[in-house]
Amino acid sequence: FNIYKQIHSPDPNRLPTQFEEWQKQAREILEDGPYEYVAGGSGGEDTVQSNREAFKRWNILPRVFRNVEDRNLKLGLFGDMLPSPVMIAPIGVQSIIHKDGELATARAAASMGVPYIASSASTHSMEEIAEVMGDAPKWFQLYWSSEPSIAKSFVERAEHAGYTAIVVTLDTPMMAWRELDLKNVYLPFLIGEGIGNYLTDPAFRAGLRVPPEEDSMGAIMHWTRVFGHAGLTWEDLAELKTYTSLPIILKGILHPEDAKLALKYGADGIIVSNHGGRQVDGAIAALDALPAIVEATNNQVPVLMDSGIRRGADIFKALALGAKAVLIGRPCMYGLAVAGESGVRQVMNNLLADFDLTMALSGCRDLNEVNKGMILPADR
Ligand code: FNR
């Protein structure tokens, strides 16, 4: 209702409502390098496109006459009570989008109680991000370094800084074939935008011959050597569990057999994701991968999903197919580009209002009512 009310207070600087308009304005503000880094995918971007098409292949089957005056969108997850089943995805290098970078996004999230997942590849350190968020819910995303002492140090720092879960991203031991970045000769890391957590890390600094303040290029080159770890296997998860008692959530699972292995090796949660179509081009749409993974995990751990969510109906469909919660990536980054902290807040407000209305108009008062019976394949 508050969002409708804004229409009656004409303001030339009013922020956009439509996702497409946010993206268009972000395109106008950002240079090709950063814009295409954010908006683009890998290869021919088939998976970026599939992520969207997958949502269109499901239809909602609304119910009526159900007294939807009061709705409960709250979700208990890993000990936190969240205002809704929506959180902000880990996204690195946010200083290429807005001068305040992750601090703006984290502040917006904290002001709404929406969980923020801080990326290993943030421009700002995890401690700075945690500080601006206060007690608000926050998780830390780990890019597992090939240097074990750095991986251990990151996890310990995160726990110490007040993050309450570790999200381990498994689909990015190395960067994929990203044609737009190759065309633009643009990788934010190579200009030092994503190494805030590394420059502040004692284990990373111990591997440098010269402090990064004196040799920033040397630090960046060292980062390229230690960032990813293509040699990891399921057995390594046990080692990670010795670093922390926080829940460990595996991000980037698409195969149901991997979901079963995640359970076998003691993961506390799964995020079904293809990294927004930025890793394996041609990979299955995240929404299409979701049902088999929900089935394979059989309610033993929460299954979350991201990749392609743009509107309230998309959130509804993901929940109906068994996701406990969803993560929002690029829409927040377009909000950040357009209006910093208030842009991210407005994007999330719009999305949550849209989702709440979709619930009400579909006859759902509680998240438990958003189930398989509420949707049908469009091409039945
Ligand atoms: C990402 N993503 C990502 N994931 C992660 O685990 N660590 C990271 O540092 C990043 N960095 C990152 C940068 C940019 C610019 C984008 C667009 C994405 C992936 C992200 O967490 C999420 O999986 C996708 O963004 C979800 O897809 P949508 O919502 O963007 O379609």
Side-chain angles (χ1 to χ4, degrees), residues 198-373:
Y198 297 83
L199 297 180
T200 50
D201 192 82
F204 180 80
R205 295 177 74 101
L208 297 173
R209 270 180 288 115
V210 185
E213 294 76 16
E214 288 166 36
D215 179 14
S216 57
M217 213 11 103
I220 290 168
M221 293 325 289
H222 184 58
W223 174 85
T224 62
R225 288 188 288 273
V226 301
F227 162 74
H229 189 354
L232 289 170
T233 67
W234 288 99
E235 274 74 31
D236 293 306
L237 206 52
E239 172 75 11
L240 187 70
K241 283 156 99 51
T242 66
Y243 303 162
T244 179
S245 54
L246 295 178
I248 291 176
I249 302 160
L250 303 182
K251 176 171 183 277
I253 303 266
L254 293 169
H255 201 300
E257 290 303 322
D258 280 344
K260 287 185 193 157
L261 287 166
L263 293 181
K264 178 176 165 197
Y265 285 91
D268 300 291
I270 287 174
I271 303 177
V272 177
S273 168
N274 54 35
H275 214 104
R278 300 164 70 81
Q279 287 299 98
V280 178
D281 188 39
I284 185 170
L287 191 77
D288 288 339
L290 180 62
I293 290 178
V294 169
E295 198 182 317
T297 52
N298 197 20
N299 275 324
Q300 291 182 60
V301 298
V303 176
L304 282 56
M305 78 80 70
D306 74 22
S307 299
I309 292 178
R310 301 292 177 262
R311 286 197 160 78
D314 303 333
I315 302 173
F316 188 96
K317 290 173 187 179
L319 264 49
L321 287 172
K324 278 276 169 288
V326 299
L327 282 54
I328 310 299
R330 293 184 188 83
C332 292
M333 294 304 103
Y334 300 142
L336 180 65
V338 172
E341 178 186 340
S342 53
V344 177
R345 189 160 36 238
Q346 189 67 24
V347 163
M348 290 304 285
N349 262 326
N350 287 348
L351 204 48
L352 293 178
D354 181 8
F355 172 58
D356 182 36
L357 289 172
T358 306
M359 290 267 295
L361 297 173
S362 304
C364 296
R365 295 147 295 198
D366 194 281
L367 297 177
N368 298 328
E369 292 173 346
V370 186
N371 56 35
K372 257 196 216 152

Side-chain angles (χ1 to χ4, degrees), residues 23 34-41 45 48 180 276 278 310 330 334:
Q23 180 164 6
Y35 175 78
E36 292 185 336
Y37 178 77
V38 173
E45 302 193 335
V48 174
L180 292 169
R278 300 164 70 81
R310 301 292 177 262
R330 293 184 188 83
Y334 300 142

Side-chain angles (χ1 to χ4, degrees), residues 134-187:
D135 291 337
K138 48 188 150 330
W139 298 356
F140 179 73
Q141 177 264 326
L142 179 71
Y143 277 135
W144 193 322
S145 173
S146 59
E147 183 52 63
S149 62
I150 298 176
K152 182 167 192 280
S153 174
F154 270 29
V155 170
E156 289 173 353
R157 283 170 63 192
E159 188 161 357
H160 187 250
Y163 294 87
T164 56
I166 304 293
V167 172
V168 187
T169 299
L170 297 176
D171 57 20
T172 313
M174 58 198 81
M175 221 65 82
W177 180 253
R178 298 195 189 159
E179 295 178 5
L180 292 169
D181 300 337
L182 292 166
K183 174 197 70 154
N184 294 329
V185 197
Y186 186 80
L187 193 58

Side-chain angles (χ1 to χ4, degrees), residues 21-30 35 334 337-338:
E21 182 60 25
W22 286 103
Q23 180 164 6
K24 184 169 150 253
Q25 293 193 14
R27 168 67 285 200
E28 285 160 8
I29 290 166
L30 299 173
Y35 175 78
Y334 300 142
V338 172

